[in-house]
Amino acid sequence: MAWKTTWLLFLLVRVAAVWTARPRTELLNVCMNAKHHKEKPGPEDKLHEQCSPWKKNACCSVNTSQEAHKDISYLYRFNWDHCGKMEPACKRHFIQDTCLYECSPNLGPWIQEVNQSWRKERVLNVPLCKDDCQIWWEDCRTSYTCKTNWHKGWNWTSGYNQCPVRAACHPFDFYFPTPAALCNEIWSHSYKVSNYGRGSGRCIQMWFDPAQGNPNEEVARFYAETMSGAGLHEAWPLRFGLVLMLLWLLN
């Protein structure tokens, strides 16, 4: 009888873990636990330039939005011009990428916990619209870099990122031969290029017209509901097993 009780307790713990897990739908309208993010999203009427589309509901402050537009800003001390002057047409995509990361409250379905000194959470495999990725790659082909993964491996001895020793500067398409290579690899798979395009409701748009609303709200809702449904599907065998165990004990 003791071993039956042990199995019952095991099943109870497993099912309780599933029932008490944070539902994916709670990840709608949330901010990451990261270096500069607000605790909760809310209005920020004076967000700066490219970050302004998020002013009605933002995870970034006005100050963060201003710093997102600066070279070697206090945000991350990142030097966009590590291989000479980055073309303005290219740099605007990195500014927009920073605004999306810092300001968007619609990245919840892709938030993952991490054990890093400067943040407790990150995003992974955000489905970036293929057209946004394509134009980012096209606008950056004539700029130069020396690395494929910009999250790590830099020389920080000067207080900002510089190319590591023996890392040669080449045009972007040397290190990123395709749009997918750029968007998927540059930030350690924070993005995963989607097969869907802008306006589909199935991919995150880096660029949007706030006068038409934020299309990423619908996208986050779709993926959050999909993930929540998958979680319920995975939980039913445990619940069914608990019922069988209880019937067995009662007999």
Side-chain angles (χ1 to χ4, degrees):
M1 185 66 183
W3 68 271
K4 291 183 179 180
T5 304
T6 301
W7 267 104
L8 177 60
L9 289 173
F10 172 75
L11 282 170
L12 282 171
V13 169
R14 291 292 303 275
V15 173
V18 171
W19 279 342
T20 59
R22 186 184 186 190
R24 285 290 185 176
T25 49
E26 287 186 11
L27 294 179
L28 296 174
N29 195 40
V30 293
C31 301
M32 269 180 282
N33 183 1
K35 190 173 184 180
H36 301 291
H37 290 71
K38 292 160 47 178
E39 185 176 346
K40 295 181 179 179
E44 293 286 349
D45 293 338
K46 297 182 179 180
L47 290 187
H48 193 59
E49 294 185 4
Q50 288 183 225
C51 294
S52 63
W54 287 274
K55 67 182 181 180
K56 289 185 178 180
N57 194 34
C59 287
C60 61
S61 66
V62 173
N63 189 46
T64 296
S65 73
Q66 292 170 339
E67 293 293 322
H69 291 72
K70 298 178 181 178
D71 295 327
I72 315 182
S73 76
Y74 91 91
L75 294 181
Y76 305 103
R77 301 292 299 165
F78 200 89
N79 176 26
W80 305 116
D81 300 330
H82 51 267
C83 277
K85 190 71 174 175
M86 180 181 281
E87 294 292 336
C90 177
K91 187 173 292 186
R92 73 187 186 101
H93 292 279
F94 285 98
I95 293 172
Q96 197 71 11
D97 162 54
T98 304
C99 288
L100 175 66
Y101 173 78
E102 299 289 348
C103 301
S104 178
N106 307 123
L107 302 177
W110 304 279
I111 290 175
Q112 302 283 325
E113 290 185 2
V114 289
N115 183 20
Q116 296 177 331
S117 60
W118 55 284
R119 62 180 180 179
K120 300 301 181 184
E121 292 179 329
R122 64 163 293 185
V123 288
L124 184 68
N125 294 329
V126 174
L128 185 66
C129 293
K130 62 180 181 181
D131 7 21
D132 280 359
C133 181
Q134 178 72 32
I135 194 170
W136 186 359
W137 181 75
E138 289 176 358
D139 286 347
C140 287
R141 290 184 71 179
T142 56
S143 290
Y144 284 72
T145 187
C146 56
K147 284 172 48 55
T148 54
N149 189 332
W150 286 17
H151 259 155
K152 57 186 179 181
W154 296 101
N155 175 4
W156 290 94
T157 55
S158 62
Y160 56 87
N161 61 300
Q162 294 180 306
C163 293
V165 177
R166 292 187 292 277
C169 291
H170 293 286
F172 262 57
D173 56 8
F174 176 87
Y175 287 102
F176 306 110
T178 64
L182 170 64
C183 299
N184 294 354
E185 296 173 19
I186 196 165
W187 299 127
S188 302
H189 299 279
S190 293
Y191 296 121
K192 181 178 181 180
V193 180
S194 174
N195 291 324
Y196 292 100
R198 297 165 56 80
S200 65
R202 297 294 181 267
C203 61
I204 292 293
Q205 292 184 203
M206 190 177 291
W207 305 84
F208 61 90
D209 179 3
Q212 305 298 318
N214 185 341
N216 295 330
E217 293 177 0
E218 177 190 348
V219 178
R221 190 177 303 111
F222 170 78
Y223 284 99
E225 290 173 356
T226 299
M227 293 174 180
S228 179
L232 291 173
H233 178 73
E234 292 168 2
W236 79 263
L238 290 174
R239 296 171 182 173
F240 183 65
L242 179 60
V243 171
L244 291 179
M245 179 64 78
L246 287 171
L247 291 173
W248 185 35
L249 290 173
L250 289 173
N251 290 332

